[in-house]
Amino acid sequence: MTDTASTVLALDAGQTGIKVRMVRPAAEPVERVFPGVRTDQPLLPQLAAVAHELAAGAPVGVIAAGVSGLTSAESDAGELRVLVRDLAPGRVLLAHDSVTSYLGTLGDGNGAVVASGTGVVTLAVGAAGVARIDGWGYLMGDAGSGFWIGRAALDAVMRAHDGRGPSTSLTSVVRSRWPELEDAYVQLQSDPARVSVVAWFAEAVAAHATTDAVAERICRDAAEELALSVVTGLRRVGAEPAPVVSAIGGVFRGEAVRAAFEDAVRAVHPGVRFEAPHGTGLDGAEALAALAPAHPLHAMVSAS
């Protein structure tokens, strides 16, 4: 007989996919991937639908979710409990995915995690508490993100086209998508996937960084923005003399960004230790169930 009180249903809900894991005593974990959350629609019903599909109506002990785009208005585990009441969960835990990314990357120790993909968010934990830096979206923030890099590349290409800036090999990359440069802005503005389209150019910027001065500068500027977020977070939480930092996400696959980022952080914290991720965001969602009430991140988790 299954011990439902010990069964954990963990959700790592991102915009590209919702990863789900069912952990039961004396059984192999079950994992599934569902389509990503739509941030232009209510989030909690989407989470409830996924929970119902994986649990198949069976009671669970804990439902723990880390969610991209979670706003203060929807950070209500009690509301999610109502939507999954037929699963009779003992606890429902709900957090922004920056929290679960942190737990999956560094566990419950102190340090800073910067996650830079299409967007970017940094979370730092220390003796003085928790600091979230950026993650304010492509219109208001996300400095050093894939979108930020792609936007800088497009700006540089159009400046070169006008004669306002130096020539760049990135022009050929942009022309591969829009042969007529002067029509590109109209096509981009009318594309419903324009955010991901802009972020797509970040990979090309990284690839051209060793041979193109414009691309190298963009990577360096992005690295400095990402380092600034980490250094700011560490300062706000009272960093240890040798803080632990982990940099995750597609932007850091580019060696130019990663190397410049590490140099910039090391200039402020010479004893910094850079660590590879200990796990994933899904591991972090599962870890919510065991997070100690006294841990600084506990205050960022809605529980019901």
Side-chain angles (χ1 to χ4, degrees), residues 280-302:
T280 66
L282 187 56
D283 296 322
E286 183 181 342
L288 282 179
L291 189 64
H295 194 279
L297 286 175
H298 195 272
M300 300 180 71
V301 180
S302 175

Side-chain angles (χ1 to χ4, degrees), residues 55-79:
V60 297
V62 180
I63 296 177
V67 190
S68 174
L70 190 67
T71 65
S72 56
E74 290 192 292
S75 298
D76 186 350
E79 184 178 341

Side-chain angles (χ1 to χ4, degrees), residues 209-232:
T210 58
T211 57
D212 184 279
V214 171
E216 190 277 332
R217 175 182 54 78
I218 293 172
C219 288
R220 185 178 65 250
D221 290 348
E224 290 176 355
E225 290 286 357
L226 295 166
L228 176 60
S229 290
V230 167
V231 168
T232 300

Side-chain angles (χ1 to χ4, degrees), residues 219 223 246-249 251-264 274-275 277:
C219 288
S246 190
I248 62 176
V251 165
F252 288 105
R253 287 197 291 268
E255 182 57 32
V257 172
R258 179 174 287 276
F261 163 79
E262 292 184 355
D263 287 346
F274 294 103
E275 290 194 7

Side-chain angles (χ1 to χ4, degrees), residues 10 21 64 99-105 279-289:
R21 176 186 295 158
V99 174
T100 48
S101 288
Y102 187 99
L103 290 171
T105 301
T280 66
L282 187 56
D283 296 322
E286 183 181 342
L288 282 179

